[in-house]
Amino acid sequence: ATLGDTPDLLYMKSQAEYNVGDYYGTISDTGKILKSYPQHLEAYQLRGEAYFRLNEMDMAQKHFREGLKLDPEHGGCKEGHRLLKKVTKNDKRGDAAFEKGEYKSAIDFWWGAMNVDIDHLAFVRPTLLKVVRAHMALKEYTKAEEECMKHVNNQESVEGLHLLGEVQSSAEKYKEALRSYQRALDIAPDDQKQHCKRKVEEAQVALKQSTEKNYYKILSVPRNAKLKEIKKSYRELALQWHPDKNTDDTEKAEQMFQDISEAYEVLSDKELREKYDRGEPVFENQGGGQQHQRHHMNPNMFFHQNFQGGGGQQRHHYRWG
């Protein structure tokens, strides 16, 4: 008999493939078994486990359930289904918590899912990046960088290096961020080179701006901040530094108030923000000094217009996705 005619030999081959990490080979060969022997319980279990290792949870669940239909007490299918449910339940709870802004709970749920089998890299690697984003949302940049480094040190990827660069930029570690983006460009496949090159250019601009007047730093927001976050920070800082509330040091307050208004004027305007992010001058008379902005607007008038939600300014019509 040929190998294809003998389910036991084909099953042994599938097991060997599974043990060396050839999960696609396992899926292919157990598929052949199930086509000829649709009641082969061990093939359902092994195929489910192979899909599970590939992080294809819906297909894994389908195979465990098919096996349990044939024998509700089948130990292997029961155990596989139990582990899968534990992972997916925690993962979904983490996603739901993140969507509600409950970032600490999201982190706990995702770690609960990962700790079911920390060697299950097809699941752990993408989930670790979700944990990184939650730490970023909490402004816990040191922890975010630490977790992202686990991902990168395990295996470099463009996605992991880009997120590492984002974390480092948010932590104002602009040189390290540039190195991360450059490394991503070095390892990127051809179809991602253009995107990676743009990221390197943006990091170069951020590094240059970090030595100059940095509008993101002035408003205490990350470079990827949404308009809502920028607006909230502007309002809080403008109230804090309004010269009328800082009569003991009006000169410093006026300068801070001016900078805050200028930063908001640029970052809340889609066109000006894009120019700033590219490292281009945002005001026509911008040159060697930093005095140009004093002639550009009246910060008190700007403050009142924005606090009354009006002024008919174009910037309020932009939406950020």
Side-chain angles (χ1 to χ4, degrees):
T2 65
L3 195 61
D5 297 327
T6 316
D8 290 343
L9 284 175
L10 198 50
Y11 180 71
M12 285 166 67
K13 182 183 174 220
S14 302
Q15 280 182 309
E17 288 164 334
Y18 181 88
N19 289 332
V20 297
D22 179 9
Y23 303 123
Y24 290 107
T26 302
I27 287 165
S28 173
D29 284 334
T30 49
K32 289 174 192 168
I33 295 170
L34 289 168
K35 200 169 181 181
S36 303
Y37 302 90
Q39 296 203 343
H40 198 299
L41 283 164
E42 281 69 28
Y44 277 116
Q45 178 192 335
L46 189 58
R47 201 163 201 241
E49 287 171 353
Y51 275 120
F52 179 74
R53 302 313 296 180
L54 291 168
N55 199 25
E56 295 189 28
M57 299 302 191
D58 290 342
M59 287 298 287
Q61 186 175 57
K62 181 184 166 190
H63 282 77
F64 292 138
R65 283 180 174 171
E66 286 296 323
L68 290 170
K69 272 188 211 169
L70 294 168
D71 177 4
E73 295 306 313
H74 187 270
C77 287
K78 272 177 88 170
E79 179 61 10
H81 194 256
R82 186 188 70 79
L83 287 177
L84 182 141
K85 289 294 283 182
K86 200 172 173 186
V87 170
T88 54
K89 195 175 179 182
N90 275 309
D91 187 37
K92 283 172 184 167
R93 282 179 174 175
D95 291 347
F98 187 87
E99 284 302 312
K100 286 190 276 188
E102 296 168 0
Y103 303 118
K104 285 189 186 297
S105 294
I107 291 165
D108 289 342
F109 282 127
W110 284 328
W111 271 111
M114 288 190 285
N115 282 330
V116 172
D117 182 357
I118 202 68
D119 295 322
H120 184 191
L121 294 180
F123 174 77
V124 168
R125 282 177 59 78
T127 307
L128 198 53
L129 295 185
K130 294 198 285 190
V131 166
V132 171
R133 290 189 181 95
H135 282 298
M136 284 183 73
L138 291 164
K139 294 186 162 53
E140 296 172 353
Y141 300 125
T142 303
K143 192 65 181 170
E145 185 175 12
E146 183 189 315
E147 301 294 22
C148 207
M149 284 305 296
K150 290 178 187 174
H151 186 281
V152 169
N153 289 336
N154 169 255
Q155 187 183 335
E156 286 185 328
S157 69
V158 169
E159 185 186 13
L161 285 161
H162 277 181
L163 188 57
L164 180 60
E166 202 178 315
V167 172
Q168 290 163 332
S169 291
S170 298
E172 298 177 16
K173 296 164 80 171
Y174 298 108
K175 284 181 183 173
E176 290 91 333
L178 179 56
R179 277 201 295 272
S180 297
Y181 286 120
Q182 185 60 58
R183 180 62 190 150
L185 176 59
D186 293 344
I187 67 164
D190 289 344
D191 62 340
Q192 291 185 45
K193 288 283 187 198
Q194 241 357 79
H195 172 64
C196 290
K197 193 162 177 279
R198 270 199 309 277
K199 288 283 184 187
V200 168
E201 288 163 0
E202 286 168 11
Q204 287 167 337
V205 169
L207 176 59
K208 178 174 174 283
Q209 287 172 344
S210 70
T211 62
E212 303 166 350
K213 189 180 281 191
N214 185 330
Y215 292 143
Y216 291 102
K217 190 172 182 180
I218 289 166
L219 289 185
S220 300
V221 294
R223 293 185 77 86
N224 62 349
K226 303 280 192 292
L227 181 56
K228 187 178 175 184
E229 193 180 345
I230 290 167
K231 201 173 279 189
K232 181 174 179 283
S233 188
Y234 164 69
R235 288 183 176 230
E236 288 171 0
L237 289 166
L239 280 171
Q240 182 188 334
W241 287 101
H242 196 285
D244 292 350
K245 295 182 77 176
N246 292 272
T247 49
D248 53 330
D249 191 352
T250 51
E251 193 175 330
K252 184 184 178 185
E254 279 174 7
Q255 184 58 54
M256 289 294 292
F257 189 61
Q258 170 72 43
D259 288 349
I260 291 158
S261 299
E262 181 187 339
Y264 180 67
E265 183 183 14
V266 172
L267 298 186
S268 64
D269 184 298
K270 188 173 187 290
E271 194 179 330
L272 290 180
R273 185 178 180 180
E274 285 174 355
K275 285 176 81 172
Y276 179 73
D277 286 347
R278 290 193 298 267
E280 298 170 10
V282 286
F283 301 121
E284 283 178 27
N285 59 338
Q286 190 166 348
Q290 286 290 350
Q291 297 303 311
H292 66 276
Q293 70 274 12
R294 296 201 179 277
H295 309 293
H296 189 72
M297 61 174 179
N298 179 324
N300 278 298
M301 191 184 296
F302 184 75
F303 172 80
H304 290 302
Q305 283 175 340
N306 280 284
F307 268 75
Q308 290 157 14
Q313 294 174 25
Q314 193 66 19
R315 66 183 62 83
H316 297 299
H317 300 297
Y318 288 109
R319 295 203 178 274
W320 294 79

